[in-house]
Structures are given as C-alpha cells and as structure tokens.
C-alpha cells in the first residue's frame, strides 16, 4: 500500500513532535486561519481549513522532485478532498532573504515544476504569461499559486515564518463564483478583509481572472510596498505537447 505524501490536520499531530518546526509552523498557520478577531483574507482557504479540505507537505528544503510528486498526487485526488481544497507546502525556517530573492526563487520553482510535468497543458490555456487568461497548470489542471515569505512585513496576508507555497485549483473558484452576484460578494469580502489585515492598501495587481489588465502571474507573488517590483522572468510557461518550454 502506497503512503500518501500529503498530510491532513490529524496526520500532523501524529507525524511530528510538538516542539518540531513542522508543528510550530502549522500552529502559526492554524491560528491565522482560525482567528475571529482578525479574519484571514482568503475566505476560500479559511473555509477549506475549517472543513479539513486542505492538504499539507513539509520539506526541510524545497525539493522540486518531491514537490512535483506531491502536486501530482494532489491534483489527481483534489476533487475528493472537497470544494475548497488547496495544497500548502511549508519549508523549514532559515535566514531571511530579500523580497527580490524570494521572488526569483519562486519563479525558478514554477519553472522547475513545469519542466517536470509531462502532461500537456489544456488546449484553451495560453502559454504567454502576459495573457490575461494565462494560469499555471500542472498535470493538466489550471492552478492558482500563492507565495508567502518571512520578508513580507507590511503585506501580512503574504507573510509566513518560512517560505511557503499554496496551490489552489482554478475549479475551486469556478464552483464558488458561479454567478456575477456571488463573484462580487466574494471578492468584496476578500478585499475588505485585506484592507483590515495588511499595513498597506490592497495591491493594485489584485483582480479577477481574465479581465483586461489583470494578470494571474502578477498576483502569485506580491511585493511588500505596492511599488511594482520585478515581474516573472519568463515570457512563456506551459506546453501543450508534453515537454515544458525551456528558455
């Protein structure tokens, strides 16, 4: 019988000692998502956490082969986890780097995952990162990606005590945002929470998928000052014919 590399909430208590870095980071994560006094902005993530629909992976240092295997397993089984599922990958805390260094690392990771993915991207998905309908895909599934780092101070909604990645299937949004009314209500609630959670205004890069001027790639990794910063170093990411683009 093959053991899953993904953890549920109950698995973490069984697999890791109370004083381990894994338990400490997960306790911090849990406290953020369970807070009623300071609600975490991502209402989908909060709902998924409370319903135990999220899945977790802990790595000493982020290993692309292990991450690729975990993401492949997650995408394969995600629909059985629930309508608000996401995969959260924690790494062991280390010396804090600059925002730019973390951003560079983040895009190298997505590029590395794309290189290890042997499933063609959906035919409808553009490969040009500057296209408003572009979304990172893995194992044939569009996935919204969020990066949290310890270098984020003012943007608390993107802060974590270590480098952390969250992979959220696009169908999670599609199911929840089924109508224009529900979409406006959900995005309004998220933006209101962000305004009370962060120490700076809502990022101008945040917006709805597919709208003109809104890029998913710019929302994956947000800066800490609303000053723009560097963008994705790749012109394209994705392949429809089984081999990832190498530049």
């Amino acid at each position: 019988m093959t053991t899953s590399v993904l953890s549920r909430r109950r698995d973490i208590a069984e697999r890791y000692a109370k004083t381990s870095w894994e338990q400490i980071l997960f306790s911090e994560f849990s406290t953020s998502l369970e807070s009623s006094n300071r609600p975490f902005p991502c209402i989908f993530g909060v709902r998924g956490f409370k319903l135990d629909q999220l899945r977790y992976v802990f790595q000493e240092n982020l290993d692309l082969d292990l991450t690729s295997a975990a993401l492949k397993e997650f995408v394969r089984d995600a629909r059985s986890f629930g309508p608000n599922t996401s995969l959260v990958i924690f790494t062991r805390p280390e010396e804090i780097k600059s925002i730019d260094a973390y951003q560079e690392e983040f895009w190298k990771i997505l590029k590395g995952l794309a290189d290890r993915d042997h499933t063609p991207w959906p035919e409808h998905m553009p490969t040009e990162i500057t296209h408003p309908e572009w979304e990172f895909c893995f194992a044939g599934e569009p996935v919204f990606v969020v990066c949290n780092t310890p270098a984020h101070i003012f943007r608390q909604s993107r802060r974590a005590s270590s480098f952390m990645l969250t992979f959220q299937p696009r169908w999670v949004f599609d199911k929840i945002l089924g109508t224009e009314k529900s979409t406006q209500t959900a995005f309004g609630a998220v933006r209101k929470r962000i305004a009370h959670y962060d120490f700076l205004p809502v990022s101008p890069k945040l917006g709805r998928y597919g709208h003109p001027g809104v890029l998913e790639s710019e929302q994956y990794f947000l800066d800490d000052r609303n000053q723009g910063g560097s963008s994705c170093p790749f012109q394209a990411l994705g392949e429809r014919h089984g081999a990832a683009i190498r530049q």
Side-chain angles (χ1 to χ4, degrees):
M1 180 178 178
T2 302
T3 302
S4 173
V5 299
L6 311 181
S7 295
R8 299 180 64 171
R9 291 173 66 175
R10 67 179 182 226
D11 298 325
I12 296 171
E14 297 173 357
R15 294 177 180 176
Y16 306 106
K18 289 184 178 180
T19 57
S20 65
W21 67 266
E22 293 94 342
Q23 283 279 15
I24 293 171
L25 288 187
F26 189 70
S27 177
E28 178 186 76
F29 177 82
S30 301
T31 299
S32 295
L33 269 67
E34 290 180 320
S35 176
S36 57
N37 295 325
R38 190 167 175 253
F40 190 75
C42 182
I43 57 178
F44 315 116
V46 170
R47 193 177 304 161
F49 176 80
K50 292 181 176 179
L51 295 174
D52 197 25
Q53 296 176 1
L54 307 187
R55 294 298 180 266
Y56 312 96
V57 170
F58 297 85
Q59 296 187 35
E60 289 278 338
N61 298 291
L62 197 141
D63 180 282
L64 282 171
D65 290 331
L66 294 177
T67 302
S68 176
L71 187 53
K72 184 177 181 180
E73 178 186 342
F74 173 75
V75 168
R76 182 193 68 202
D77 300 332
R79 283 177 171 79
S80 68
F81 299 151
N84 296 283
T85 191
S86 293
L87 173 64
V88 184
I89 298 182
F90 298 92
T91 62
R92 187 186 183 104
E94 58 180 17
E95 184 176 347
I96 299 177
K97 305 174 185 178
S98 68
I99 286 283
D100 288 344
Y102 282 122
Q103 185 174 42
E104 181 179 356
E105 180 179 357
F106 168 74
W107 282 109
K108 284 183 178 179
I109 289 169
L110 286 199
K111 177 66 164 56
L113 290 174
D115 288 345
R116 287 163 173 76
D117 183 18
H118 302 295
T119 303
W121 279 34
E123 286 292 335
H124 72 276
M125 184 62 64
T127 61
E128 300 78 15
I129 289 175
T130 54
H131 194 291
E133 294 182 3
W134 179 89
E135 186 86 274
F136 180 72
C137 298
F138 194 87
E141 194 75 68
V143 181
F144 185 79
V145 191
V146 171
C147 185
N148 292 58
T149 83
H152 283 85
I153 303 299
F154 297 98
R155 198 178 305 283
Q156 287 283 295
S157 56
R158 292 298 177 99
R159 187 202 170 278
S161 290
S162 69
F163 186 84
M164 185 179 91
L165 297 175
T166 301
F167 296 88
Q168 192 166 35
R170 165 68 30 201
W171 56 258
V172 168
F173 299 101
D174 294 339
K175 285 187 175 183
I176 297 171
L177 309 177
T179 66
E180 181 63 25
K181 182 178 179 180
S182 63
T183 298
Q184 290 183 357
T185 299
F187 275 97
V190 170
R191 294 181 74 88
K192 183 177 180 180
R193 287 190 177 194
I194 291 176
H196 289 89
Y197 201 88
D198 291 344
F199 298 134
L200 74 172
V202 176
S203 172
K205 294 182 178 180
L206 291 180
R208 291 168 57 179
Y209 174 69
H211 279 206
V214 176
L215 299 179
E216 294 291 276
S217 61
E218 291 187 342
Q219 300 182 67
Y220 289 1
F221 191 106
L222 297 176
D223 66 14
D224 201 41
R225 292 281 189 170
N226 281 349
Q227 293 179 343
S230 59
S231 58
C232 173
F234 307 108
Q235 293 182 350
L237 198 63
E239 178 56 66
R240 296 188 180 86
H241 306 291
I245 290 176
R246 291 172 172 80
Q247 296 163 302

